[in-house]
Amino acid sequence: MATLRTRGWRDYNPMLLIAVLLLLSFSVPMVYSTTIGQSGLPAFTLGSTFMRHLFWIGGGVLLTVGLSLLDYHALAPLAWPAYGLSLVALAAVLTLGVVRGGAQSWLGSSSLSFQPTEPAKLVVVLVLALFWSQRAEDAGSWRNLILSLVIIAPILGLVLLQPDFGSAMVLIGIWLIMAFIAQQRWYQFGLLLLIAVPIVVYGWTHVLHDYQRYRLMVFLFPDRCQSDPEFAKYCWQTIQARRAIGNGGLTGMGLNHGIQSQLNYLPVQESDFIFAVTAEELGFIGAAVLIVLQLIVIWQVWRVVGQARDVFGRLLAAGVAGMLLVHCWENVGMNLIMMPMTGIPLPFVSAGGSFMLTTLAAIGLVQSVSLRQRIWSLSLD
Amino acid sequence: MRLRLNTLRIITLLIFVSMLVRLQDLQFGPDAATSRTQIEQVTTRIDYTAPRRGEIFASDGTTLLAASEPVSIVAVQAELLPTKRLERAAVFMRLSSLLPFTDTLTITPTSALKTNPALAGAVAQLVPILPADIDFSPGHAVTLTVPLSQSLAALELGQVYSDVITLNPGADKVLRDADLPPYLLVPVATNVPRPIALALRENSAVLPGIKVVEGFNRTYPQSPQIPSLSHMLGYIGRVTEDDLEQEQAGPPTYLPNDIIGKDGVELEYEAVLRGVLGINQIEVDAFQRTVGEPQVMRPLKNGSNLILNIDLDLQRQSEEILHKWLTIADQRRISLASQNTPIGQKIATYPPITKGVIIVMDVNTGAILASVSLPAYDNSLFTRPLSQADADSIFQNPDAPLFNRAISGHYPPGSTFKQFTAAAALRNGIITPETRFMDLGKLVVRNKYNPDATNTYPNSNSHAYGMINVSDALMVSSNVFFQTVAGGTDYVINLGPNDPTLEDGLGIERLHAMLVNDYGFGQPTGVDLPDEVAGLIPDPEWKRDVQRKTVWSVGDTYITAIGQGDVQVTPLQLLRGTVATATSGKVYEPHIVKAITNYSRTQTTTIEPKIEHQIELDPAYWAVIRDGMRRSVQDPRAYNRAANASNKPAGDILAAIDRFNLAGKTGTAEYAENGVLRSHSWFVGFAPFDNPQVAVLALLEGTGDVGDGSGTLALPAVVDVMRAYFKEPVPDINGSIPAASAPPQPPEEQAQR
């Protein structure tokens, strides 16, 4: 046990921990600020968005610690049952779920609702990591590629049916990065792209509704918001986000003093638009700190990818990196009008229990991989 | 492996760097300033608070003539209405379920009623009896009126059959008819009962764009009973484009849905009554809900109240009295017209007699105590949407009831004018009180340029009065005397060799100067009412420049001296001139408004009587003029007494004249109407003779030859008003005194009067 204390913790990634904790502490005043102006329970009341946020942070941190202590190999047997459970939950969401923000992605009543899509992302990471690590001798094969696609397809399909394009993009991002780390070939990606383009084009023209197309396009043509009245109906969020960010300046309006956020001009501001609120209230400095902290987190996860002892650990970390990267990119990108409007949360900052627990669990997994980067550290168990 | 990981690291870095670049671009780039202004515009709104319009009281300071009654107003703010047609209709139909709007629904095509039995059944349930003439051939539409209280059922129908049924809510029509900008609250219903206002407020969630605001409704509580008040009060209406264009730059004083005074004191005292529109800046959230406290940019100031000089009882009685004597005049017209005499045939061409004026002025202040101009209109009709019948009765009426004859009508004053000619002659030393001239009943004047032609200027009925002085001349209303004084006897050829002559006389220049510069004729009196006209005192210059006729002749001077020809005065000018006689030369600026009080009626600003001019004349001369006027009604020989000896509707008029110690002057002023020479009846007088308190004028248009109108209609009308003023009962149209209609006045109050 002496080894455990002196040598085992040496490989814990403190930068990752610190960056995550900083992001979490950042999120507390921001969630407070975004919810005080809204109708609903006062912030310091049991059951308020803010109190629930604190609760999820607490639970999530415990989950991080617990999972980092647990050898990630112990999760391997759970991967497929979890996968099955996710499929069931996602199917249940489609039939029983609650519609919010245009997508049917919530289970349960409003006070204790649950979004199975979020843990499903981590389950996909786990299953794909297990799959590719077990077939490492066949790395880069067409067979691996196709089977991995078969694994992800049902989950992706169910998510698209909700429809939750943001999460679908996250799943695709996770698969791409993991496949890349799992040594799938460059030309395989190229060929896949050739197949994917006509499917996407068909989906765009034949499956999507007008409003969905508009929402996905708005960020590309902000000028049409003025000129095209049909287009303008979908510009509210981009216009409000742009105003909020533009209003922030260098140091911002001050916490709890953003005009756009305090007057509820930003929709779902405690989650989807919390970055714009930060930019308005804390200015460029606050928003840049937020971006840099996210970068540090992902950077440290990449570091763990490089350090991982085995393929399973490396792929686990890579999947987590992919999940966090696409979430940041989509969320911040949407706030900055660089990406389509796809309402997905910002890791460690947005309010919302399912995603907070998922990301903090993922960080626990990554720390577990980091802690067990040397053979002898197996003695930890 | 390294390569792949580093590729992903580089991609990560690129993504994050691009975010930072974009962030700094949005926060410091060219759009940032725009963002800030846009936010201010979107999140701050200007909110206007309408001031309460000041109220108008009668002279007692408590009786409301124009009230601002607090009411709940249901208003629509178009920009907050749903944009979809059906949702918008739903809001209005829900509103209709609480307020009585007339909604209709249109079914296009009507054939749907045949092809769709379910629709036909549902429509039949809503509107049980369809119009008989529905055309069921293709392409036709039918519009049905939704029964009251069925608006929600109609809404449901419209939602279910949105492809064939179009809803046309009544409130929507009101909104569109108002044609105001969408950010303004457009009132669609006023006087909303409190329970309904509460219900609307509670259901505001399903009624976006519908607001209940507290406002004020103008009412004129006395006008339906005493329409003659309307000419003085005026009326209000929505501001026009012209009104708004006159606004100066800066914060607005009027909004396009505001009301503004259009006539009367409502117009004249608009700035006082209006108050100041409050301007607040409010912050609103994304749902247009007000956040925080409004920031006052210009404080609301309620309008001030007016207290008029108008004595409501006197006004009411004066109106009744004028009605009474106009009715008598018209009865006489009918009865005379039935006689087959020359005068009867002439009178048969007269239209009904309906027009007249009575004004009562306080001799000591110039205050207008009552002012009646008939026909009148009821200004309270303007406080609500005007029905077509009411609009026609006002705007299409040939008698022009909106026209305030007291200040906007101008008439030849006739013999009432002689008091002024007398004053001019006395002041210029043409005559003294003792100066006598021979009155042979007429002046025959030789034409200056054609010695063979003569003109004759007779007295009324060519009655000859012999040698008379100025007092006698006023008593008998001698034309010859005043014409002699004004124009001299240079061209007169019918005088006897021993009769006194006068070379040149007063002359038009001096007469004109006295009338215009001293009495203020030919220019507005400055009364605090709009649309006052100037009238006209002709002189040679006027005749040359304006009329482009021949040169001024002595005949022109003659007829000007007796208030005929081109002389035009308003009744108010004439009364003011008579008050100057009564007060030995005080020419007042007459006032309708006595005082202005602030909104809470804690501070009162009294409008002090204003003597515009003091006419310089020997007090003894004033006394002579007044005495002539006294004698015209009090001297036993006075024609006016004989004429009224059997004037039954006038009651015991001779006793009343003596009791009030009345002095005054009749006037029968000729004018041409439709080519027929007619005349107006005037009487203007004051009382008591030795200490004048009140002056009264009566004018009955077109009654001069309806049985000597000035003496037997206008004079008794003035006496009746004097009775009312001195709190005596006024005889009715049959001359009988109403039996104790009014409670007896306490003696102290009578003494005060």
Side-chain angles (χ1 to χ4, degrees):
Chain A
M1 290 305 279
T3 331
L4 181 144
R5 292 228 174 81
T6 55
R7 292 195 175 168
W9 291 107
R10 188 182 63 183
D11 289 325
Y12 195 81
N13 190 324
M15 279 291 278
L16 179 58
L17 178 74
I18 289 165
V20 167
L21 289 179
L22 283 176
L23 281 171
L24 291 175
S25 20
F26 204 108
S27 81
V28 172
M30 289 321 301
V31 169
Y32 177 77
S33 171
T34 52
T35 54
I36 46 172
Q38 296 190 25
S39 51
L41 293 167
F44 294 102
T45 315
L46 214 59
S48 72
T49 305
F50 177 68
M51 292 304 273
R52 278 189 289 165
H53 183 63
L54 294 182
F55 173 77
W56 295 125
I57 287 178
V61 168
L62 287 180
L63 205 57
T64 310
V65 174
L67 282 173
S68 56
L69 291 175
L70 180 75
D71 186 345
Y72 59 95
H73 294 95
L75 293 172
L78 299 175
W80 287 106
Y83 179 80
L85 207 61
S86 290
L87 281 181
V88 171
L90 286 172
V93 149
L94 283 181
T95 49
L96 311 169
V98 183
V99 178
R100 277 190 212 166
Q104 194 166 7
S105 46
W106 297 78
L107 268 185
S109 66
S110 61
S111 62
L112 197 72
S113 55
F114 172 64
Q115 219 179 351
T117 320
E118 305 300 352
K121 291 169 187 167
L122 193 55
V123 167
V124 164
V125 170
L126 191 62
V127 164
L128 286 179
L130 184 64
F131 166 76
W132 267 308
S133 64
Q134 285 170 343
R135 300 185 52 85
E137 70 285 354
D138 201 12
S141 68
W142 280 107
R143 188 188 169 85
N144 276 8
L145 186 85
I146 289 159
L147 283 176
S148 67
L149 283 173
V150 169
I151 290 168
I152 199 171
I155 303 257
L156 186 61
L158 288 170
V159 168
L160 276 173
L161 281 175
Q162 287 180 2
D164 182 350
F165 296 111
S167 291
M169 280 164 71
V170 171
L171 288 171
I172 291 167
I174 288 170
W175 180 87
L176 271 173
I177 283 170
M178 290 182 77
F180 192 60
I181 293 293
Q183 304 294 323
Q184 296 296 339
R185 305 297 172 210
W186 294 93
Y187 61 82
Q188 290 174 328
F189 292 110
L191 200 71
L192 218 53
L193 193 66
L194 285 181
I195 299 166
V197 165
I199 295 175
V200 169
V201 168
Y202 178 84
W204 180 266
T205 53
H206 286 80
V207 180
L208 289 189
H209 295 291
D210 272 351
Y211 76 90
Q212 292 169 320
R213 279 199 288 270
Y214 277 121
R215 283 189 62 167
L216 293 174
M217 278 196 313
V218 159
F219 80 102
L220 289 176
F221 311 104
D223 292 343
R224 277 176 68 182
C225 286
Q226 265 94 51
S227 58
D228 183 348
E230 190 56 32
F231 205 80
K233 292 179 197 165
Y234 306 95
C235 296
W236 172 264
Q237 296 174 335
T238 44
I239 290 170
Q240 300 308 330
R242 181 192 284 265
R243 283 183 187 159
I245 293 166
N247 197 29
L250 181 66
T251 53
M253 311 274 299
L255 192 65
N256 307 339
H257 287 93
I259 292 176
Q260 290 286 90
S261 43
Q262 298 307 326
L263 298 180
N264 296 313
Y265 277 88
L266 289 164
V268 211
Q269 52 188 5
E270 73 281 7
S271 171
D272 300 1
F273 286 97
I274 200 161
F275 179 81
V277 174
T278 308
E280 186 185 23
E281 297 196 340
L282 303 180
F284 179 79
I285 294 174
V289 165
L290 194 56
I291 290 178
V292 170
L293 284 174
Q294 295 282 4
L295 176 62
I296 292 171
V297 169
I298 294 169
W299 202 256
Q300 292 306 316
V301 179
W302 286 135
R303 201 171 150 220
V304 175
V305 172
Q307 292 167 338
R309 190 182 81 203
D310 52 15
V311 177
F312 183 46
R314 181 192 304 152
L315 284 170
L316 267 184
V320 171
M323 178 174 86
L324 297 179
L325 178 62
V326 180
H327 261 279
C328 278
W329 191 17
E330 275 194 48
N331 179 283
V332 178
M334 167 179 76
N335 278 264
L336 292 170
I337 314 159
M338 311 161 72
M339 294 287 277
M341 294 289 143
T342 53
I344 67 168
L346 183 63
F348 314 113
V349 180
S350 290
S354 312
F355 186 61
M356 182 60 82
L357 290 181
T358 303
T359 44
L360 286 174
I363 294 301
L365 279 183
V366 171
Q367 290 288 19
S368 174
V369 172
S370 179
L371 276 172
R372 290 161 187 83
Q373 57 183 260
R374 297 163 214 268
I375 300 288
W376 47 259
S377 55
L378 270 176
S379 62
L380 267 174
D381 301 309
Chain B
M1 182 61 228
R2 260 310 119 195
L3 173 70
R4 292 193 171 216
L5 184 55
N6 285 337
T7 310
L8 292 173
R9 281 184 164 144
I10 288 164
I11 291 172
T12 307
L13 260 185
L14 285 177
I15 289 173
F16 277 86
V17 168
S18 73
M19 287 178 188
L20 283 172
V21 169
R22 174 77 172 167
L23 176 66
Q24 78 82 30
D25 181 46
L26 286 184
Q27 292 203 300
F28 306 113
D31 285 358
T34 324
S35 296
R36 271 171 223 136
T37 28
Q38 282 173 338
I39 286 180
E40 294 231 331
Q41 283 166 359
V42 170
T43 56
T44 62
R45 266 172 178 280
I46 298 297
D47 186 41
Y48 298 101
T49 330
R52 193 204 69 152
R53 194 172 178 84
E55 301 189 311
I56 304 174
F57 296 90
S59 63
D60 61 5
T62 52
T63 308
L64 271 170
L65 303 181
S68 278
E69 290 187 344
V71 285
S72 291
I73 296 170
V74 173
V76 179
Q77 196 170 3
E79 66 177 0
L80 298 184
L81 286 169
T83 45
K84 292 205 178 92
R85 194 182 155 80
L86 194 58
E87 285 175 30
R88 206 177 154 98
V91 171
F92 287 130
M93 296 306 271
R94 286 187 205 113
L95 189 62
S96 287
S97 69
L98 291 167
L99 291 168
F101 288 106
T102 307
D103 309 312
T104 61
L105 55 84
T106 307
I107 302 172
T108 328
T110 43
S111 50
L113 286 169
K114 294 265 178 192
T115 54
N116 187 342
L119 168 70
V123 169
Q125 216 167 18
L126 187 70
V127 187
I129 302 159
L130 295 178
D133 55 346
I134 297 181
D135 188 342
F136 286 103
S137 56
H140 279 82
V142 62
T143 297
L144 306 171
T145 302
V146 178
L148 283 179
S149 81
Q150 291 292 306
S151 60
L152 290 181
L155 170 61
E156 205 174 307
L157 200 64
Q159 283 166 337
V160 173
Y161 299 101
S162 58
D163 48 339
V164 285
I165 291 182
T166 315
L167 297 168
N168 319 305
D172 196 15
K173 186 178 184 309
V174 176
L175 176 69
R176 277 185 280 112
D177 288 350
D179 192 25
L180 286 168
Y183 61 88
L184 281 178
L185 288 167
V186 179
V188 294
T190 50
N191 272 327
V192 177
R194 189 152 293 277
I196 290 180
L198 279 175
L200 287 170
R201 283 214 178 93
E202 277 169 12
N203 290 297
S204 58
V206 293
L207 294 166
I210 307 293
K211 300 219 164 148
V212 181
V213 290
E214 295 308 315
F216 297 97
N217 201 16
R218 195 49 141 192
T219 59
Y220 300 107
Q222 300 293 338
S223 296
Q225 288 80 42
I226 313 173
S228 62
L229 285 167
S230 305
H231 286 128
M232 285 170 288
L233 295 173
Y235 56 94
I236 45 123
R238 209 172 97 183
V239 292
T240 60
E241 298 278 329
D242 287 347
D243 296 329
L244 293 173
E245 272 169 23
Q246 283 171 14
E247 291 245 318
Q248 314 211 325
T253 43
Y254 291 94
L255 299 177
N257 57 346
D258 268 330
I259 59 159
I260 192 169
K262 297 281 186 189
D263 200 359
V265 290
E266 291 273 29
L267 170 58
E268 190 77 11
Y269 286 86
E270 172 65 21
V272 175
L273 291 166
R274 162 75 178 163
V276 178
L277 181 71
I279 305 182
N280 296 331
Q281 184 172 305
I282 52 167
E283 277 202 356
V284 294
D285 67 9
F287 311 105
Q288 300 296 323
R289 293 178 303 208
T290 308
V291 182
E293 288 297 307
Q295 187 193 338
V296 177
M297 300 179 72
R298 186 172 71 192
L300 170 81
K301 191 168 167 283
N302 283 314
S304 296
N305 305 308
L306 300 179
I307 299 173
L308 303 189
N309 282 312
I310 299 300
D311 179 318
L312 193 62
D313 281 338
L314 190 61
Q315 176 77 20
R316 190 192 65 245
Q317 287 181 288
S318 298
E319 185 179 329
E320 287 166 2
I321 289 163
L322 187 54
H323 266 303
K324 166 183 158 185
W325 289 102
L326 285 171
T327 306
I328 292 166
D330 202 45
Q331 286 169 351
R332 269 195 215 167
R333 173 189 69 86
I334 293 164
S335 124
L336 285 169
S338 65
Q339 296 173 9
N340 193 17
T341 59
I343 183 73
Q345 282 160 1
K346 183 185 174 198
I347 286 177
T349 66
Y350 292 4
I353 288 161
T354 55
K355 298 172 221 168
V357 173
I358 282 179
I359 317 176
V360 185
M361 187 179 279
D362 185 326
V363 164
N364 297 307
T365 61
I368 296 174
L369 305 178
S371 174
V372 178
S373 168
L374 292 180
Y377 70 102
D378 175 4
N379 62 345
S380 64
L381 294 175
F382 288 91
T383 58
R384 49 189 179 267
L386 208 57
S387 74
Q388 191 59 47
D390 286 340
D392 287 349
S393 77
I394 292 170
F395 296 108
Q396 307 296 323
N397 189 330
D399 286 350
L402 284 172
F403 187 64
N404 184 3
R405 293 158 199 282
I407 58 164
S408 304
H410 46 83
Y411 309 86
S415 303
T416 59
F417 217 53
K418 288 171 182 164
Q419 51 178 316
F420 313 125
T421 306
L426 286 164
R427 186 165 80 180
N428 287 287
I430 306 302
I431 54 169
T432 69
E434 310 312 324
T435 309
R436 288 168 188 266
F437 290 109
M438 175 55 75
D439 180 345
L440 296 171
K442 62 187 166 193
L443 288 177
V444 180
V445 177
R446 161 174 60 86
N447 191 301
K448 196 173 169 183
Y449 307 102
N450 178 3
D452 297 336
T454 58
N455 291 319
T456 302
Y457 298 91
N459 280 338
S460 173
N461 298 325
S462 299
H463 200 288
Y465 298 107
M467 288 293 283
I468 50 172
N469 64 15
V470 61
S471 175
D472 301 329
L474 283 168
M475 177 184 86
V476 300
S477 199
S478 160
N479 289 351
V480 168
F481 182 88
F482 289 102
Q483 285 165 342
T484 303
V485 163
T489 55
D490 306 43
Y491 302 96
V492 177
I493 56 173
N494 65 328
L495 285 175
N498 298 321
D499 292 336
T501 59
L502 179 66
E503 201 175 325
D504 288 342
L506 176 62
I508 185 62
E509 282 80 12
R510 286 186 283 186
L511 178 59
H512 182 271
M514 181 84 176
L515 293 171
V516 172
N517 302 338
D518 286 293
Y519 283 100
F521 288 108
Q523 53 202 302
T525 64
V527 66
D528 43 355
L529 285 174
D531 300 325
E532 191 190 10
V533 297
L536 175 71
I537 304 299
D539 67 355
E541 243 173 78
W542 174 83
K543 189 164 182 185
R544 189 186 66 227
D545 296 346
V546 181
Q547 276 217 324
R548 304 201 170 280
K549 273 196 190 164
T550 50
V551 289
W552 188 269
S553 69
V554 69
D556 291 324
T557 306
Y558 284 165
I559 60 174
T560 301
I562 58 165
Q564 286 287 356
D566 294 314
V567 178
Q568 298 280 317
V569 302
T570 67
L572 184 61
Q573 284 174 334
L574 182 54
L575 180 59
R576 176 171 78 153
T578 305
V579 167
T581 303
T583 56
S584 301
K586 290 193 179 77
V587 179
Y588 288 104
E589 182 178 282
H591 275 129
I592 291 283
V593 175
K594 178 160 76 176
I596 298 171
T597 68
N598 63 345
Y599 167 67
S600 49
R601 298 173 69 188
T602 49
Q603 288 175 331
T604 303
T605 314
T606 307
I607 294 177
E608 295 299 330
K610 186 177 166 194
I611 299 171
E612 196 184 85
H613 183 71
Q614 173 68 48
I615 302 174
E616 296 303 328
L617 186 67
D618 188 330
Y621 291 0
W622 283 121
V624 166
I625 297 169
R626 282 196 294 268
D627 196 49
M629 290 168 75
R630 179 189 63 80
R631 290 168 67 207
S632 88
V633 289
Q634 291 196 34
D635 192 292
R637 295 164 294 166
Y639 166 76
N640 286 320
R641 291 180 84 85
N644 279 300
S646 63
N647 193 354
K648 198 163 168 258
D652 192 357
I653 181 172
L654 300 183
I657 288 171
D658 298 342
R659 190 163 62 246
F660 302 139
N661 203 355
L662 179 70
K665 188 72 199 77
T666 49
T668 304
E670 292 181 337
Y671 71 105
E673 183 174 309
N674 304 325
V676 179
L677 194 66
R678 295 184 56 182
S679 54
H680 299 307
S681 301
W682 292 99
F683 186 84
V684 59
F686 55 88
F689 162 74
D690 46 10
N691 177 26
Q693 291 177 26
V694 64
V696 181
L697 172 145
L699 161 69
L700 288 84
E701 285 188 30
T703 60
D705 56 2
V706 185
D708 182 30
S710 59
T712 63
L713 297 169
L715 167 59
V718 167
V719 171
D720 275 353
V721 175
M722 291 282 183
R723 286 177 168 127
Y725 178 85
F726 290 109
K727 305 286 180 201
E728 290 189 7
V730 177
D732 67 12
I733 198 160
N734 302 313
S736 42
I737 301 295
S741 64
Q745 294 293 320
E748 299 87 359
E749 198 163 317
Q750 244 176 342
Q752 275 174 7
R753 270 272 146 84

